Amino acid sequence: MNNQLFTKIILLLCLGWQNYAWAERPEYVLTIKNHLFYPAHIIIPANTKVKFIVINKDKTPEQFDSFDLNREKVIFAGKKSTIFVGPLSSGKYHFSGEYHPNTARGVVIVKSEANDVN
Amino acid sequence: MLINTVVLFLHNALPIVIIIVLLLLSLKKAYHKRFLKPWLTTLFISILSTFFLVNYSDDIAQLFQGMALELLFSMVFVGVYLLIILYLYQIVFQMNKQRLNYIAMLIFFLVFTVNASAFFIYFTGFWSQTELQLPLLIGTLLGFGICLSIGILLYFILLFFQFKNQQGWTLLLLFLFSCGQLNQAVNLQLQIDFLPSFEALWDSTFLLNEDSELGYFFTALLGYEATPSILHLGIYLTALGIPLFGYFYLKNNKVVMKDRTIK
């Protein structure tokens, strides 16, 4: 009996976890081309977790890197990858391509409806 | 490209240098000539697995909706944490030379493979461009020199403490290094939405910027986070607390293992 209850609890926790982990998130596409990010400015809503789909159209890999967002991920040449960001409060969060930090740069602008960021 | 290569080399090689120094110092009493061959084999396997990972990482990265590398690396970081705790318990309670060396080899293998592959993905990605080969090579050599200097400095500082009968500093740093590895696993899990995100508790960038040489060093050594969330703090403190609780429990209950003497 105890074993059955334990199994049920574990199953419920797993289902809840899966539901949380794969919940629908607003998606934003970010493209890397000629070592530049397109778009270089992304506006996302405040206090919401969002999904960035990063597509690398270059022939060399690039590393999406942001100390502001605490994210770091290699996007291989000609491949795409997913990065989850947030929930964030209003403000500007910089990111760059760590392999080309001088050219590949961008900003995530987090806006709340009440308080717009310029 | 030259400066970028130096920075990336430092970023990825510092954890390897730190773990080598800490293992060298903590293994001093347990090392014996007969372990030379297994250690060389471990180094060879680590280099092989690094090249395997570099070659196939783009394919691996596409698995599990593009989350496979994060899942794999976060498992490795958790594994390193557990192995270091086991290693420390072996040192404190049960000094068995062979077991200590084998655990140390496993720790080295995991730390080397994960960090070296991250640098070589960058290195091999640009090696095909002839005009970038020289800056890549010089940058790597410069980075290697800086890392070697940091490693030697750390080694002699800790050796100085060991001469003063304070080996505890080495073990403490090894313990904190392991908790830092767990923090890296948390960051990877957050990146793929497997853990819930929270607001940062504070921002200590003005004190120590993570994106600086010193920041890289403390991130690699202690798992420094300039903007930790309650989740980072909670997991870090739990990672510190549970082994400490275990240590004091075993010590107070005198559950000291049978073979305390060095074999």
Side-chain angles (χ1 to χ4, degrees):
Chain A
M1 188 63 190
N2 276 345
N3 275 347
Q4 275 185 347
L5 184 69
F6 180 72
T7 314
K8 278 178 189 169
I9 291 170
I10 294 289
L11 270 173
L12 275 172
L13 281 173
C14 287
L15 281 171
W17 187 261
Q18 190 194 35
N19 204 25
Y20 160 76
W22 293 335
E24 284 296 313
R25 311 282 186 202
E27 287 185 10
Y28 296 84
V29 177
L30 198 57
T31 307
I32 303 165
K33 199 175 175 186
N34 298 324
H35 315 307
L36 294 165
F37 281 110
Y38 296 99
H41 295 75
I42 299 183
I43 299 169
I44 65 168
N47 305 316
T48 311
K49 187 171 257 191
V50 301
K51 183 179 178 181
F52 284 171
I53 297 168
V54 191
I55 304 167
N56 185 0
K57 290 192 174 173
D58 283 337
K59 288 179 180 171
T60 52
E62 186 54 90
Q63 182 161 295
F64 179 94
D65 189 45
S66 171
F67 282 94
D68 292 352
L69 299 165
N70 215 355
R71 294 289 180 268
E72 190 180 74
K73 180 158 182 155
V74 175
I75 320 293
F76 292 92
K79 300 274 167 73
K80 68 176 181 180
S81 225
T82 307
I83 301 168
F84 289 89
V85 170
L88 299 164
S89 50
S90 300
K92 289 182 178 180
Y93 300 82
H94 295 267
F95 62 88
S96 63
E98 198 171 12
Y99 299 167
H100 299 91
N102 295 329
T103 54
R105 306 186 74 84
V107 186
V108 175
I109 301 168
V110 184
K111 280 184 174 182
S112 64
E113 282 176 23
N115 179 26
D116 283 359
V117 177
N118 294 320
Chain B
M1 183 54 75
L2 178 76
I3 293 169
N4 206 29
T5 307
V6 177
V7 170
L8 279 163
F9 189 92
L10 280 178
H11 191 51
N12 294 303
L14 272 175
I16 302 174
V17 170
I18 289 169
I19 199 68
I20 289 173
V21 169
L22 296 175
L23 289 178
L24 270 176
L25 286 164
S26 57
L27 264 180
K28 267 176 84 180
K29 285 180 189 167
Y31 183 74
H32 188 272
K33 268 184 195 168
R34 70 187 152 108
F35 296 121
L36 183 64
K37 206 174 164 186
W39 267 109
L40 289 176
T41 312
T42 306
L43 181 64
F44 180 68
I45 293 171
S46 305
I47 293 168
L48 269 187
S49 58
T50 300
F51 280 102
F52 174 82
L53 204 56
V54 171
N55 267 327
Y56 294 101
S57 52
D58 55 343
D59 294 324
I60 298 170
Q62 301 305 305
L63 303 172
F64 300 111
Q65 297 179 319
M67 299 172 186
L69 275 183
E70 278 93 342
L71 285 172
L72 177 70
F73 285 179
S74 55
M75 278 193 285
V76 169
F77 288 131
V78 173
V80 171
Y81 167 75
L82 294 173
L83 282 168
I84 291 178
I85 298 302
L86 187 66
Y87 178 80
L88 290 171
Y89 271 64
Q90 283 289 320
I91 288 181
V92 176
F93 292 114
Q94 186 188 23
M95 194 67 141
N96 181 307
K97 273 186 181 181
Q98 193 166 330
R99 216 173 292 158
L100 261 178
N101 273 276
Y102 287 142
I103 299 171
M105 284 172 208
L106 211 52
I107 295 168
F108 171 79
F109 164 72
L110 292 174
V111 174
F112 184 92
T113 306
V114 166
N115 291 289
S117 63
F119 176 74
F120 280 105
I121 284 169
Y122 164 76
F123 190 90
T124 53
F126 294 93
W127 186 250
S128 56
Q129 298 178 25
T130 321
E131 72 278 12
L132 297 180
Q133 286 177 350
L134 193 63
L136 273 174
L137 274 178
I138 295 173
T140 306
L141 281 173
L142 284 173
F144 183 76
I146 296 168
C147 274
L148 197 66
S149 312
I150 294 170
I152 291 170
L153 195 65
L154 183 66
Y155 181 86
F156 282 104
I157 290 172
L158 291 173
L159 195 66
F160 169 77
F161 283 117
Q162 283 199 350
F163 278 134
K164 296 206 158 206
N165 282 330
Q166 292 178 345
Q167 208 211 348
W169 285 105
T170 307
L171 303 185
L172 178 70
L173 286 183
L174 200 52
F175 184 32
L176 294 174
F177 177 87
S178 73
C179 297
Q181 297 292 296
L182 217 52
N183 243 3
Q184 294 206 42
V186 172
N187 282 337
L188 290 176
Q189 295 285 318
L190 287 171
Q191 190 158 289
I192 55 173
D193 201 20
F194 264 53
L195 286 175
S197 303
F198 298 95
E199 289 266 323
L201 290 173
W202 66 77
D203 187 354
S204 54
T205 308
F206 67 97
L207 277 176
L208 180 58
N209 191 347
E210 266 183 76
D211 194 11
S212 66
E213 285 75 10
L214 205 60
Y216 293 154
F217 179 73
F218 280 103
T219 303
L221 185 64
L222 314 170
Y224 169 73
E225 278 284 340
T227 52
S229 67
I230 186 83
L231 189 73
H232 285 106
L233 195 67
I235 289 182
Y236 198 89
L237 291 177
T238 310
L240 279 172
I242 292 175
L244 279 177
F245 175 78
Y247 166 73
F248 286 114
Y249 177 81
L250 289 173
K251 203 178 169 192
N252 290 337
N253 289 281
K254 303 199 171 170
V255 191
V256 180
M257 312 303 174
K258 292 166 202 164
D259 45 352
R260 180 74 181 88
T261 48
I262 299 174
K263 284 180 183 171

